[in-house]
Amino acid sequence: MEIEKKIKVLHIIAWVLCVGIIIKLGGIAISYFASIANPEASKNLYNGLNLSAAYQLSFNHYSFMILGKIVLLAIQAYIIFLVARFLKKINYSQPFNSNLLMVLNKINTSIINLWFATILFNIHLIYLKKVYNITYPLASIDFILLTVIIFILSSIFKRGIEIQQENELTI
């Protein structure tokens, strides 16, 4: 399969993932609003997510957990949206261009924001466990390596743009 077709397939996959995350985000938000009127709904918010212990402890802790999940999902959806934009903007005749570099920098910044939001979310979960003995699984922070990879890729693109501009000046 040639590279253009592979990129188109990856572009479609990115959009499917983005829509899937947005649906999950919407499901959690709708379930949250339903649980305000009916506290029993907090036992099965979305795909078996049970936050009833946090709800019984404090509506503020419960709301913070839901808000944290929504923020994390929103940032993930935005990152995948940026990846889809990156794949769409690839120009095969001039692969190194400032538009792609700008999108890569936005992806990198968004991943760093996701990392910080995840740390804050996990601090809250650790607090709930330590003070109230309520245990929930921590959110993963494995994507810090992805930030480094995107930064390296951005540096390569920046250097490629410089070389491309030098070549245009010499012609």
Side-chain angles (χ1 to χ4, degrees):
M1 189 185 290
E2 56 190 64
I3 191 73
E4 290 91 2
K5 288 182 181 177
K6 289 179 182 177
I7 300 262
K8 285 181 183 179
V9 168
L10 289 173
H11 183 250
I12 292 168
I13 291 171
W15 273 112
V16 168
L17 287 173
C18 185
V19 169
I21 290 174
I22 290 170
I23 289 170
K24 183 176 182 178
L25 187 152
I28 290 173
I30 290 169
S31 298
Y32 169 73
F33 289 116
S35 71
I36 291 173
N38 180 12
E40 285 296 312
S42 67
K43 290 182 180 176
N44 187 10
L45 281 173
Y46 182 82
N47 278 348
L49 180 63
N50 183 352
L51 300 179
S52 60
Y55 192 94
Q56 290 171 356
L57 171 67
S58 162
F59 185 74
N60 291 336
H61 285 296
Y62 173 73
S63 296
F64 187 79
M65 289 180 73
I66 296 294
L67 178 65
K69 288 208 170 280
I70 288 173
V71 166
L72 294 178
L73 288 171
I75 296 172
Q76 289 173 16
Y78 181 66
I79 290 169
I80 294 173
F81 166 76
L82 290 174
V83 168
R85 274 186 53 197
F86 178 83
L87 293 171
K88 178 86 171 159
K89 289 184 178 223
I90 292 178
N91 181 355
Y92 301 104
S93 61
Q94 271 194 322
F96 298 107
N97 62 58
S98 58
N99 289 334
L100 287 179
L101 181 61
M102 186 175 65
V103 173
L104 277 175
N105 287 334
K106 285 182 181 179
I107 291 171
N108 201 36
T109 302
S110 298
I111 293 173
I112 291 170
N113 290 338
L114 179 62
W115 186 69
F116 283 125
T118 303
I119 288 173
L120 288 175
F121 184 72
N122 284 344
I123 287 171
H124 182 248
L125 295 178
I126 291 168
Y127 170 79
L128 288 176
K129 180 178 170 93
K130 191 172 190 176
V131 174
Y132 300 106
N133 202 25
I134 297 175
T135 305
Y136 291 105
L138 297 176
S140 173
I141 56 170
D142 295 342
F143 39 81
I144 193 65
L145 178 63
L146 185 60
T147 305
V148 173
I149 293 169
I150 298 294
F151 177 76
I152 292 169
L153 191 58
S154 297
S155 300
I156 292 169
F157 264 77
K158 186 175 182 181
R159 182 64 183 137
I161 290 170
E162 291 170 0
I163 291 171
Q164 206 166 283
Q165 288 173 345
E166 289 173 9
N167 287 342
E168 289 174 359
L169 292 175
T170 58
I171 295 178

